[in-house]
C-alpha cells in the first residue's frame, strides 16, 4: 500500500501569510496527487488535481507542485476562509489520504 | 447532489446498509465510491463501483465484509456492511469523480455527500 505523510500536522499562521504544506508518498506516484480542503462538519472539497492543476472555482492563491514522492500545497496569501484542514490524496493505486494539516489562526 | 442515509448505532458483529441518493446528474454514467472518516484513521477510501456495476473495488480492510451496489433506476448507491467492528466507526461519505464515461477510473472526487455517521458499540 502507498502511504502518504503530511507535514506539519498543525500550522499556525496569520491572514496574509504565505503558507506551505508538504506531502510525501512512500513510493513514486508521478503526479497522481490531489489536495482537498475540509471545514468542520463538511465533506472535503477538491482544490487541486494532478499535483498542480487548479479545480474550477478555486482561488488562484492556491497552488500545487511536485512529482514523484514529494509534493507541496501553497497558499500565497492566507485569507480568513482558508482556516481549515488540508489533505493530500494519492490516486496512483486506488486511493490513500494523508493524515491532514490543520491551518489555524496564530 | 448526493445524500447519504442509513447510519446509526449498531452492536459489534452487526450489519447495516447505507444509501446514497443522487440527483441533478446522470447517475448511471458515473462511477461511485464510499469514503469514510474516523478520528483515529482519518480519511479512508472504502469501495467503488462502475456505472453499470460490472466492476467493484474494495479496500483490504473491508473486503469480504462490505458489499457495494447500485440501483440506477432509483439513482441510489448502497453499502452493505456486515460483521461490523469498532474500527468501522466513522462518518461515511459517497463521492464521485467528474468523469462521466461510466468506467471505474481512479480519479479525484469532486462531488461528495454530507456524510452519515456509523457508530459500532
Amino acid at each position: 500500500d502507498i502511504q502518504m505523510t503530511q507535514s506539519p500536522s498543525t500550522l499556525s499562521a496569520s491572514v496574509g501569510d504565505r503558507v506551505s504544506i508538504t506531502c510525501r508518498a512512500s513510493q513514486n506516484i508521478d503526479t497522481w496527487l490531489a489536495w482537498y480542503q475540509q471545514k468542520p462538519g463538511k465533506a472535503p472539497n477538491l482544490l487541486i488535481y494532478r499535483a498542480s492543476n487548479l479545480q474550477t472555482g478555486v482561488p488562484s492563491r492556491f497552488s500545487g507542485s511536485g512529482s514523484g514522492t514529494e509534493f507541496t500545497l501553497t497558499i500565497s496569501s492566507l485569507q480568513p476562509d482558508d482556516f481549515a484542514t488540508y489533505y493530500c490524496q494519492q490516486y496512483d493505486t486506488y486511493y490513500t489520504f494523508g493524515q491532514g494539516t490543520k491551518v489555524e489562526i496564530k | 447532489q448526493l445524500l447519504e442515509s442509513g447510519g446509526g448505532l449498531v452492536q459489534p458483529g452487526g450489519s447495516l446498509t447505507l444509501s446514497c441518493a443522487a440527483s441533478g446528474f446522470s447517475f448511471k454514467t458515473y462511477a461511485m465510491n464510499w469514503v469514510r472518516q474516523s478520528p483515529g484513521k482519518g480519511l479512508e477510501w472504502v469501495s467503488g463501483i462502475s456505472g453499470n456495476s460490472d466492476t467493484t473495488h474494495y479496500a483490504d480492510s473491508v473486503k469480504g465484509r462490505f458489499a457495494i451496489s447500485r440501483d440506477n433506476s432509483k439513482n441510489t448507491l448502497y453499502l452493505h456492511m456486515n460483521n461490523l467492528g469498532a474500527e468501522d466507526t466513522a462518518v461515511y461519505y459517497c463521492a464521485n469523480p467528474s468523469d462521466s464515461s461510466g468506467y471505474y477510473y481512479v480519479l479525484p472526487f469532486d462531488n461528495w455527500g454530507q456524510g452519515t455517521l456509523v457508530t459500532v458499540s
Side-chain angles (χ1 to χ4, degrees):
Chain A
D1 290 6
I2 300 174
Q3 309 301 319
M4 305 300 292
T5 304
Q6 285 182 237
S7 61
S9 297
T10 306
L11 192 160
S12 298
S14 302
V15 172
D17 284 353
R18 179 183 179 90
V19 301
S20 293
I21 299 168
T22 298
C23 179
R24 288 186 172 86
S26 60
Q27 64 189 68
N28 186 352
I29 59 169
D30 192 12
T31 55
W32 302 112
L33 185 104
W35 289 97
Y36 296 84
Q37 177 193 68
Q38 187 178 32
K39 296 183 178 179
K42 301 292 187 182
N45 180 49
L46 179 64
L47 298 176
I48 287 172
Y49 61 95
R50 203 71 197 269
S52 61
N53 293 273
L54 206 61
Q55 176 73 349
T56 302
V58 173
S60 59
R61 62 181 179 272
F62 291 91
S63 63
S65 63
S67 66
T69 62
E70 199 150 327
F71 303 87
T72 302
L73 172 70
T74 299
I75 309 173
S76 61
S77 177
L78 201 62
Q79 298 302 301
D81 191 49
D82 301 338
F83 292 97
T85 301
Y86 294 84
Y87 295 91
C88 60
Q89 176 203 45
Q90 70 80 19
Y91 54 103
D92 176 85
T93 305
Y94 286 114
Y95 303 94
T96 315
F97 293 86
Q99 82 280 13
T101 295
K102 183 178 181 180
V103 177
E104 60 180 26
I105 300 173
K106 191 172 183 179
Chain B
Q1 301 282 355
L2 299 172
L3 186 63
E4 302 93 338
S5 61
L9 177 64
V10 59
Q11 293 184 340
S15 299
L16 203 62
T17 295
L18 306 182
S19 299
C20 170
S23 61
F25 65 100
S26 182
F27 179 70
K28 65 182 180 181
T29 67
Y30 287 82
M32 297 296 297
N33 295 268
W34 288 98
V35 177
R36 66 186 180 184
Q37 185 171 30
S38 62
K41 295 185 71 176
L43 285 161
E44 181 186 18
W45 172 79
V46 172
S47 182
I49 187 169
S50 61
N52 64 1
S53 304
D54 62 348
T55 65
T56 57
H57 310 266
Y58 298 94
D60 288 343
S61 58
V62 306
K63 204 171 291 185
R65 299 188 300 122
F66 289 12
I68 191 171
S69 65
R70 63 192 296 163
D71 185 339
N72 288 342
S73 69
K74 296 182 179 179
N75 289 343
T76 302
L77 174 73
Y78 302 100
L79 186 66
H80 311 276
M81 306 184 293
N82 297 313
N83 193 20
L84 286 161
E87 69 278 10
D88 299 312
T89 293
V91 173
Y92 285 73
Y93 297 99
C94 56
N96 65 278
S98 58
D99 177 80
S100 60
S101 69
Y103 293 109
Y104 190 84
Y105 293 123
V106 181
L107 294 169
F109 307 131
D110 60 357
N111 189 29
W112 297 68
Q114 89 294 343
T116 187
L117 176 63
V118 173
T119 303
V120 184
S121 178

